[in-house]
Amino acid sequence: SDRDAEIAGTVGLAALIASIVGFAFSAIAGSVFAYLRLDPVQAVHTLVVCSIAIQLYSVWKIVGVIRWQPLMPMIVAGAATAPLGVWVLRHVDSGMYATGLGLFLSAYGGYTLFRRENRVLPGSTFVDVIVGALGGLTGGLAGLPGPSVTIWCSLRGLDKLQQRAAYQPFILVMQVITLLCLQWQDTASTLALEDLRFVPFALMGGIAGFALFQRMTNRQFHAVMSMLL
């Protein structure tokens, strides 16, 4: 159908753009889904299923540099709040959801536009827990677990591979938890199976985007990340 073609095209293009830096797939695709007037639960289902496929590929490509132990405070905090985000998603009014998502993305973009690029902060377990909890909440609510974590990684002055090795495993785990929480709904299994037809488009875009990432210098990576944010 025309609607399926629009969704597939959106997924492929969003995956291509987002996979250059390893995040923001749900933000890009979700914004288009809002204009297509998809039901919020259906939209988050599609975003999460396709995002899992993209992140699995990307994490597999960088698995050798991922250090899981330092990520655990962030992941545990996100796992605790993701179910709350899904609960809010299931009970929020569609109009309020669209408005809230727009405000969140606007605030996110505004922050990254005006923040100071040369500011570097030391690592902090306390901040890891805070950004992880916020990422779990926004992941369950909108399929967007990445914003708080990617901002924190960029503030720590990590290089392009270190940043991806921190936020991509987190995003992958949060998306899996969100999908499991959504499965508690009666219609979730059907929706998840239907969304599998969009996974090939997500993977094609993801593979192409990661190939571009590998050819970038750290300076080019940070420039593209800033523009995308």
Side-chain angles (χ1 to χ4, degrees):
S1 66
D2 290 343
R3 174 57 61 89
D4 286 349
E6 291 172 336
I7 294 173
T10 297
V11 165
L13 182 59
L16 170 63
I17 298 170
S19 293
I20 295 174
V21 292
F23 69 94
F25 166 76
S26 295
I28 298 169
S31 299
V32 179
F33 287 175
Y35 283 103
L36 296 178
R37 298 190 180 278
L38 266 65
D39 172 75
V41 175
Q42 178 191 351
V44 172
H45 256 286
T46 304
L47 293 172
V48 169
V49 169
C50 293
S51 178
I52 288 173
I54 297 166
Q55 297 299 337
L56 277 172
Y57 173 77
S58 296
V59 167
W60 170 66
K61 294 289 287 185
I62 62 171
V63 68
V65 296
I66 296 173
R67 297 171 59 224
W68 287 97
Q69 187 173 353
L71 296 177
M72 291 314 296
M74 193 181 296
I75 289 174
V76 170
T81 56
L84 174 61
V86 172
W87 183 87
V88 175
L89 169 67
R90 293 174 60 188
H91 293 85
V92 73
D93 174 79
S94 295
M96 290 179 59
Y97 176 84
T99 301
L101 179 59
L103 290 172
F104 175 77
L105 291 175
S106 297
Y108 179 27
Y111 168 78
T112 55
L113 179 64
F114 293 107
R115 72 183 176 89
R116 291 163 53 186
E117 289 292 334
N118 60 349
R119 187 180 183 187
V120 177
L121 300 178
S124 165
T125 301
F126 175 75
V127 179
D128 285 348
V129 170
I130 297 299
V131 300
L134 181 59
L137 184 65
T138 56
L141 177 60
L144 284 165
S148 60
V149 179
T150 53
I151 288 174
W152 174 227
C153 288
S154 66
L155 288 175
R156 292 175 60 193
L158 305 177
D159 67 30
K160 66 173 190 176
L161 198 55
Q162 289 174 322
Q163 288 194 49
R164 293 190 77 139
Y167 59 67
Q168 290 213 250
F170 175 82
I171 293 172
L172 174 60
V173 174
M174 291 307 105
Q175 299 293 43
V176 170
I177 292 173
T178 297
L179 183 61
L180 291 174
C181 291
L182 287 168
Q183 292 286 72
W184 294 343
Q185 296 183 93
D186 293 338
T187 59
S189 297
T190 301
L191 283 170
L193 289 173
E194 289 178 351
D195 288 334
L196 290 176
R197 67 188 187 275
F198 300 120
V199 166
F201 299 95
L203 284 175
M204 285 189 290
I207 291 169
F210 193 89
L212 292 173
F213 160 78
Q214 290 180 304
R215 288 162 173 77
M216 286 182 172
T217 64
N218 278 318
R219 185 173 182 178
Q220 290 170 334
F221 174 79
H222 287 296
V224 172
M225 174 183 279
S226 296
M227 288 188 293
L228 183 56
L229 286 171

